[in-house]
Amino acid sequence: MLAILGAIETEVADNRRLLSDPVELRAGHLAVHRGRLHGVEVLLARCGVGKVNGAMATTALHSAGATSLLFTGVAGGVAPGQRVGDLVVATDLVQHDVDVTALGRPPGQLLGEPASWATDARMTARLATAAHARAAHDGRQVHQGRVASGDQFVASAPRAAAIHAGFGALCVEMEGAAVAQAATTLGMPFAVLRALSDTADHGAAQDFPAFLTGSARLMAEVVEHYLRADQSKIAL
Ligand code: SAH
């Protein structure tokens, strides 16, 4: 069963409202809603902000019977030419706040862990198709590439540029790579969709709350395209 996870209430509210025959359950510490979304049986949950919360929720959802996981949330764009409202489909994720460079490791890499965690190719292809289908309505951009996560709200153009240059990341957020690490360890296929609420610069603290609701609605519409796609052709 597919689990759909977001960090904050606004990121999960639209999908939860659209859930039919919802049943509330607990998976360890996590409140989970189970039901049908656009005709597909799913688990929905909100993990809270940050990497530890993302990893814990991923583990809890796996224990509750999730066999694949789709993370949807907002992010700050760090690549040139991006605009608030653009969509980002992750191909792989890094933890930009990991620093073991004093012991000779590359920035972002932990001992025994890969340099980045790759998303599931089939889910990601399906997610990209869904994002393009939604973007076709109003001509917004869809970017596909690396996402950088850390326990930092980035609101500085130089810091954003450094994360883009240092990691080749398209956007910065606070949960994705932790979800990716946990899901990879558990052997659970996953994909990550982000909508840009800000561009991680000096305006981010104002832009993030201003564009959160619109970005969340946009992602719920991408999720609808994802779930309504021909399920006989591409497995969840
Ligand atoms: N509303 C919370 C804080 C949310 S932090 C509070 O008031 O405490 C921002 C959330 O959106 C995180 O879940 C993160 O994944 C994402 N995000 C959006 N823009 C970001 C940015 N510029 N830097 C880091 N995370 C960002």
Side-chain angles (χ1 to χ4, degrees):
M1 189 175 3
L2 175 70
I4 303 176
L5 182 63
I8 51 185
E9 177 57 24
T10 314
E11 291 170 338
V12 299
D14 287 307
N15 284 334
R16 195 183 319 111
R17 206 174 40 249
L18 293 167
L19 207 60
S20 46
D21 308 321
V23 178
E24 215 176 322
L25 51 115
R26 285 203 87 77
H29 71 294
L30 194 69
V32 179
H33 289 83
R34 181 182 178 151
R36 294 183 78 75
L37 186 62
H38 311 299
V40 179
E41 190 81 13
V42 296
L43 300 173
L44 293 183
R46 172 178 61 83
C47 61
V49 174
K51 294 196 303 178
V52 170
N53 283 328
M56 287 183 72
T58 302
T59 307
L61 285 165
H62 183 257
S63 303
T67 51
S68 60
L69 189 150
L70 173 60
F71 191 100
T72 70
V74 295
V78 297
Q82 291 176 325
R83 286 197 302 255
V84 166
D86 286 358
L87 292 163
V88 175
V89 175
T91 52
D92 65 334
L93 299 99
V94 294
Q95 295 180 13
H96 69 78
D97 58 349
V98 166
D99 183 354
V100 196
T101 53
L103 298 178
R105 310 234 150 254
Q109 193 164 5
L110 291 164
L111 177 65
E113 297 293 344
S116 70
W117 290 272
T119 58
D120 179 73
R122 282 193 302 178
M123 289 180 74
T124 299
R126 180 172 176 162
L127 186 58
T129 301
H132 281 288
R134 173 57 188 81
H137 295 315
D138 50 18
R140 72 185 65 233
Q141 295 188 79
V142 178
H143 312 274
Q144 205 168 330
R146 183 169 292 167
V147 170
S149 312
D151 284 319
Q152 300 166 359
F153 183 81
V154 178
S156 143
R159 178 79 188 121
I163 292 170
H164 174 66
F167 295 99
L170 299 180
C171 67
V172 67
E173 39 84 311
M174 300 177 71
E175 299 83 18
V179 168
Q181 181 179 354
T184 301
T185 301
L186 294 164
M188 179 165 61
F190 70 96
V192 177
L193 171 72
R194 291 279 176 175
L196 300 186
S197 55
D198 57 82
T199 47
D201 55 12
H202 64 282
Q206 284 78 44
D207 290 345
F208 164 73
F211 294 108
L212 176 60
T213 306
S215 301
R217 190 172 318 119
L218 177 67
M219 282 182 296
E221 290 166 10
V222 176
V223 167
E224 178 169 359
H225 281 284
Y226 182 94
L227 293 177
R228 290 195 194 281
D230 185 349
Q231 289 161 33
S232 64
K233 288 203 181 129
I234 314 170
L236 276 174

